[in-house]
Amino acid sequence: MTPRIFGLAEKNIDGSPDPAHVRLWGMELENGAVLHWREDGRNQVAVCTSAQQAAESFGSLFGLALYFP
């Protein structure tokens, strides 16, 4: 399976993701998903079961919406 790139982006007024303001990037693979971001000058990584689960976990914490470019 080819990895599918996704992001967690700030929301527009209507709740849709704003592609110009993606805060976390990730790759969805056949058996999971990996998120990557920088925080306080350090690389951060999280492993999730899917892009949707990443959005439910991290998106809800930071008010972000799932975005597929």
Side-chain angles (χ1 to χ4, degrees):
M1 174 183 181
T2 302
R4 186 169 138 179
I5 302 297
F6 70 94
L8 297 178
E10 292 180 10
K11 295 178 184 178
N12 290 314
I13 294 171
D14 65 359
S16 64
D18 182 350
H21 294 100
V22 176
R23 299 298 174 216
L24 302 136
W25 284 105
M27 289 188 307
E28 186 173 46
L29 305 163
E30 186 174 320
N31 57 353
V34 179
L35 278 172
H36 176 266
W37 70 97
R38 292 204 37 97
E39 184 176 342
D40 297 327
R42 301 171 85 180
N43 290 322
Q44 303 292 326
V45 177
V47 178
C48 303
T49 58
S50 67
Q52 184 62 41
Q53 191 264 325
E56 291 168 2
S57 297
F58 291 91
S60 63
L61 284 175
F62 302 112
L64 303 173
L66 183 58
Y67 167 67
F68 288 100

